[in-house]
Amino acid sequence: KLTVDRITEIIYNKIRGQSSSRPFVIAVDGRAASGKTTFAGMFDFPIIHTDDFFRPKNQNGVIEMSEHIGNFDIERFKSEVVNNLKNKNSFEYGVFDCAVGKITDKVTVTPEKCIIIEGAYCLCPLLTEYADLKLFFDISKETQKNRIISRNGLEGYERFSKLWIPAEERYFEHFAIQELCDYVICTED
């Protein structure tokens, strides 16, 4: 398990050492509130958030959850992101807005030296191998609870603990995500 400072150093060394003309792709997966988004934001590279790829509620207003990939729209992520990562060309993807339950915006990604994919489900083996560096952000249950309450309130934590955290844990366990990663980063307070 590494610190954030050490993995940052490793990332810059890998980017400097890359001989390919295509962007270096970093995938940052891990537990809710473990610091994935904060970490990705430390860099001046394009960031693609898996939260932008949730599926909308069905016609009955219910969130349809897959047993192993939650409500992640893996097909849309493949077609809009994964299939475009190895190109040098700009590409667009739709942004899902949880507040209204649908895609409300588009983001254009202009490839640079590096692109960061951030969020749970981004390392699902069903996506194929697209990442050059795979990171898993880990956190204790207690710290996770405290961070979610601080960020989303007690009511938000209740929703996370009943729906999102169990879905993520099923995904991590089923696909052995931590074991697929190059590095595990523990982000305790």
Side-chain angles (χ1 to χ4, degrees):
K1 296 194 178 199
L2 297 176
T3 64
V4 169
D5 290 340
R6 179 67 181 116
I7 198 64
T8 300
E9 180 184 329
I10 290 168
I11 287 169
Y12 281 117
N13 287 337
K14 287 188 176 286
I15 292 169
R16 276 192 291 277
Q18 175 155 325
S19 59
S20 173
S21 61
R22 67 169 180 74
F24 186 80
V25 179
I26 301 169
V28 183
D29 207 323
R31 291 186 165 79
S34 62
K36 300 178 299 292
T37 306
T38 300
F39 176 77
M42 294 171 47
F43 301 91
D44 193 23
F45 302 126
I47 303 167
I48 299 170
H49 305 279
T50 58
D51 288 358
D52 292 340
F53 293 87
F54 288 156
R55 288 187 301 230
K57 293 178 180 176
N58 66 19
Q59 294 171 339
N60 299 324
V62 175
I63 297 172
E64 292 184 19
M65 300 287 282
S66 163
E67 183 177 358
H68 300 298
I69 56 172
N71 71 330
F72 179 58
D73 190 340
I74 195 167
E75 293 306 321
R76 187 167 72 86
F77 186 78
K78 276 183 194 177
S79 68
E80 293 182 18
V81 175
V82 174
N83 293 345
N84 291 302
L85 285 174
K86 303 302 181 188
N87 301 324
K88 292 188 248 180
N89 304 324
S90 295
F91 61 92
E92 270 189 354
Y93 67 87
V95 176
F96 182 83
D97 184 335
C98 291
V100 294
K102 64 182 180 177
I103 296 170
T104 59
D105 201 3
K106 294 258 183 206
V107 170
T108 300
V109 177
T110 302
E112 298 177 14
K113 285 186 172 265
C114 181
I115 294 176
I116 300 174
I117 310 295
E118 173 278 320
Y121 309 107
C122 75
L123 285 172
C124 181
L126 303 174
L127 291 169
T128 71
E129 288 287 326
Y130 71 87
D132 299 301
L133 183 64
K134 297 174 267 203
L135 307 176
F136 187 88
F137 273 56
D138 203 2
I139 191 170
S140 72
K141 297 246 181 253
E142 188 63 29
T143 301
Q144 181 182 54
K145 177 181 178 180
N146 292 337
R147 286 184 185 175
I148 293 171
I149 290 171
S150 174
R151 182 179 73 190
N152 302 89
L154 192 52
E155 190 175 304
Y157 173 72
E158 293 301 323
R159 184 164 173 79
F160 265 84
S161 67
K162 289 183 176 129
L163 184 62
W164 305 120
I165 293 172
E168 288 178 0
E169 291 299 324
R170 285 190 303 273
Y171 156 72
F172 298 143
E173 184 178 329
H174 179 76
F175 292 111
I177 297 300
Q178 210 167 349
E179 290 78 13
L180 295 174
C181 291
D182 299 305
Y183 299 100
V184 174
I185 298 95
C186 187
T187 61
E188 291 300 304
D189 292 334

